[in-house]
């Protein structure tokens, strides 16, 4: 719980409105949409990259440390990559699993599994600016991976589905829990409030130098009140549930007899049977002129014009599915995976050689900008993705977030293994 509410340790004036003040002198929300900068000399992508501080695709709540970007510590050794690596050669799409003879679980589709090249491909779009390529820096080197077949939810878990879980179990999400004073010694009582991070666009053009400009920690924001305490779920039953911390997603999955996907499973499924493409549907962002995902149009962050029919999050399954019948694997909301986050993980797999078989991610997390925070991988991008600042609707790219933090653009979907109904 500590990383979830560290912003409350710093004290400060009692707020007269539901927004917790931001800034180095008060509290901060360390999250954003962007990328890890690696060394500029990465022509040999089989080596372990040197991490450099840059814009992070990071949804987390932490105390303000300073007005400067924190220094980058050296990464501790990665003693295990948590995968078996048989001797084999990459052969994209080989050895797919046959679908089980049992009927498909409700709301799920069969993902056949097989071997594929994991990681972000170069964009073929001449209009793509540097943002798109920056988004690939912790998603390289591209490396061969094999995953077994599995079932996967067609859509992100919706508010209606999560309501059934809460009604059946009485579960209370992290964002709904009031932080305990003993967990935050010295924090003023008025700052120990339940809440979550909400996208709060400015009403004018702003520099894109800090994500503090468009995110706010709001008292009373949670899955039931996605935009703050005065909002509700009326008319949003088929929207993805948001403000979900990792333990919330795990609890739902266990109740449903499922589990969260690994990062490798998620990417294999999102590619929909296509090999080496930039997006889940191909190499052009707008296929035949059609919007294929809920993303941000207009001037980021102050105005989403809604050219794709949605300003902010939209209902699930309103854009074409990918080749496996999965909806919204690009845009709309980010999705949790079970892998710990490390920016050097792909390089470690490459050094190990061969084909990584059902990789489970590293045994421990490490984020150079916040080495004390435990983070897991997010996938898929959100409605805020744009080539102006975040291009992580690109299928091989990655996000990351503190495990105790949910936001207004973060949800999840679940999977079920072929051989076990309980995942």
């Amino acid at each position: 719980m500590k990383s979830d509410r560290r912003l409350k340790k710093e004290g400060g004036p009692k707020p007269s409105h539901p927004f917790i003040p931001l800034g180095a002198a008060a509290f901060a929300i360390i999250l954003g949409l962007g990328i890890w900068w690696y060394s500029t000399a990465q022509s040999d992508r089989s080596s372990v990259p040197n991490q450099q501080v840059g814009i992070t695709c990071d949804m987390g709540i932490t105390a303000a440390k300073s007005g400067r970007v924190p220094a980058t510590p050296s990464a501790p050794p990665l003693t295990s990559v948590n995968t078996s690596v048989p001797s084999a050669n990459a052969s994209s799409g080989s050895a797919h699993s046959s679908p089980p003879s049992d009927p498909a679980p409700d709301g799920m589709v069969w993902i056949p599994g097989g071997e594929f090249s994991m990681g972000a491909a170069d964009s073929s779009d001449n209009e793509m600016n540097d943002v798109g390529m920056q988004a690939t820096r912790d998603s390289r080197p591209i490396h061969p991976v094999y995953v077994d077949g599995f079932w996967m939810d067609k859509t992100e878990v919706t508010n209606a589905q999560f309501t059934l879980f809460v009604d059946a179990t009485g579960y209370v999400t992290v964002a709904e829990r009031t932080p305990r004073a003993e967990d935050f010694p010295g924090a003023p009582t008025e700052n120990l409030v339940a809440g979550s991070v909400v996208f709060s666009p400015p009403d004018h053009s702003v520099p894109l130098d800090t994500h503090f400009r468009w995110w706010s920690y709001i008292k009373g924001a949670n899955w039931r009140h996605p935009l703050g305490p005065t909002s509700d779920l009326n008319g949003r039953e088929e929207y993805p549930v948001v403000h979900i911390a990792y333990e919330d997603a795990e609890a739902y999955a266990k109740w449903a007899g499922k589990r969260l996907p690994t990062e490798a499973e998620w990417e294999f499924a999102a590619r929909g049977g296509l090999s080496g493409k930039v997006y889940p549907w191909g190499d052009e962002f707008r296929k035949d002129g059609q919007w294929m995902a809920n993303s941000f149009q207009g001037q980021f962050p102050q105005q989403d014009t809604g050219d794709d029919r949605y300003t902010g999050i939209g209902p699930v399954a309103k854009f074409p599915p990918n080749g496996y019948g999965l909806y919204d694997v690009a845009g709309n909301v980010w999705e949790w995976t079970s892998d710990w986050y490390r920016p050097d993980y792909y390089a470690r797999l490459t050094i190990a050689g061969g084909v990584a078989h059902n990789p489970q991610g590293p045994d421990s997390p490490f984020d150079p900008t916040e080495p004390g925070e435990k983070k897991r991988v997010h996938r898929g991008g959100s409605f805020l993705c744009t080539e102006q600042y975040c291009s992580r609707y690109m299928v091989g790219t990655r996000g990351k977030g503190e495990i105790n933090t949910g936001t207004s653009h973060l949800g999840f979907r679940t999977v079920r293994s072929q051989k076990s109904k309980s995942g």
Side-chain angles (χ1 to χ4, degrees):
M1 279 287 294
K2 290 189 177 181
S3 64
D4 175 36
R5 295 294 185 274
R6 284 176 53 204
L7 79 170
K8 304 181 182 66
K9 296 179 183 178
E10 305 300 314
K14 183 175 181 178
S16 59
H17 49 71
F19 290 80
I20 301 301
L22 302 179
F27 309 107
I29 300 160
I30 306 302
L31 63 128
L33 307 169
I35 58 97
W36 282 102
W37 283 93
Y38 286 154
S39 169
T40 54
Q42 278 202 58
S43 57
D44 181 6
R45 287 174 176 163
S46 65
S47 61
V48 178
N50 295 319
Q51 298 87 18
Q52 294 185 5
V53 173
I55 300 168
T56 62
C57 189
D58 186 357
M59 284 63 76
I61 304 173
T62 61
K65 297 175 179 65
S66 71
R68 300 186 301 273
V69 177
T72 306
S74 299
L78 182 60
T79 57
S80 172
V81 295
N82 201 11
T83 178
S84 59
V85 185
S87 177
N89 295 317
S91 176
S92 180
S94 63
H96 287 198
S97 304
S98 300
S101 57
D102 295 339
D106 186 43
M108 305 187 86
V109 294
W110 175 247
I111 309 300
E115 191 175 313
F116 74 111
S117 296
M118 185 172 177
D122 289 331
S123 174
S124 60
D125 186 350
N126 293 329
E127 299 298 318
M128 176 67 74
N129 60 24
D130 288 343
V131 173
M133 290 300 95
Q134 291 169 5
T136 70
R137 297 302 177 90
D138 63 352
S139 305
R140 305 285 181 89
I142 295 172
H143 55 287
V145 169
Y146 178 90
V147 295
D148 293 328
F150 56 96
W151 297 101
M152 192 173 206
D153 292 339
K154 293 179 182 178
T155 72
E156 294 133 347
V157 173
T158 64
N159 287 316
Q161 291 171 318
F162 201 78
T163 297
L164 293 175
F165 159 62
V166 171
D167 288 348
T169 63
Y171 184 83
V172 178
T173 63
V174 169
E176 296 173 282
R177 304 172 197 168
T178 300
R180 302 184 306 169
E182 55 266 37
D183 292 332
F184 302 93
T189 302
E190 63 266 24
N191 291 335
L192 295 174
V193 296
S196 191
V197 178
V198 177
F199 176 60
S200 304
D203 60 4
H204 59 281
S205 179
V206 297
L208 303 183
D209 56 346
T210 171
H211 39 258
F212 297 155
R213 301 183 190 277
W214 53 87
W215 289 102
S216 297
Y217 184 85
I218 299 182
K219 176 182 177 180
N222 54 54
W223 76 275
R224 300 177 191 272
H225 307 287
L227 302 179
T230 61
S231 64
D232 56 40
L233 300 182
N234 289 335
R236 300 174 70 93
E237 292 82 2
E238 295 307 312
Y239 281 56
V241 64
V242 292
H243 297 295
I244 298 297
Y246 186 80
E247 67 182 83
D248 303 331
E250 273 199 318
Y252 174 93
K254 182 177 181 180
W255 171 79
K258 303 175 186 178
R259 59 178 173 82
L260 297 178
T262 67
E263 186 182 11
E265 288 174 330
W266 195 99
E267 182 174 325
F268 182 92
R271 290 189 175 279
L274 299 180
S275 177
K277 299 300 183 182
V278 179
Y279 308 107
W281 51 84
D283 287 326
E284 300 298 324
F285 184 60
R286 294 186 66 181
K287 184 177 180 180
D288 300 325
Q290 180 180 8
W291 293 105
M292 301 296 290
N294 181 9
S295 60
F296 195 99
Q297 300 89 52
Q299 186 64 38
F300 183 84
Q302 71 268 23
Q303 183 183 22
D304 184 350
T305 60
D307 292 350
D308 60 6
R309 297 177 292 145
Y310 298 101
T311 56
I313 296 173
V316 299
K318 295 300 182 182
F319 292 87
N322 75 355
Y324 291 146
L326 299 173
Y327 293 90
D328 304 312
V329 287
N332 212 25
V333 299
W334 285 97
E335 301 178 20
W336 284 108
T337 74
S338 62
D339 287 32
W340 289 117
Y341 175 81
R342 291 184 66 112
D344 60 356
Y345 180 58
Y346 288 13
R348 300 283 179 168
L349 286 177
T350 301
I351 290 171
V355 178
H357 193 275
N358 292 320
Q360 304 294 303
D363 286 339
S364 61
F366 181 73
D367 179 357
T369 60
E370 293 188 291
E373 300 300 334
K374 295 181 178 180
K375 299 183 180 181
R376 293 190 188 264
V377 176
H378 297 162
R379 279 304 197 112
S382 79
F383 72 93
L384 292 175
C385 282
T386 165
E387 65 176 24
Q388 298 167 50
Y389 189 67
C390 169
S391 298
R392 283 179 169 80
Y393 36 48
M394 297 167 63
V395 71
T397 54
R398 314 167 79 199
K400 57 188 168 71
E402 296 173 15
I403 58 175
N404 290 328
T405 297
T407 68
S408 63
H409 69 339
L410 173 60
F412 70 105
R413 75 178 77 208
T414 64
V415 299
R416 176 177 288 175
S417 300
Q418 177 178 1
K419 294 180 181 180
S420 172
K421 292 185 178 181
S422 62

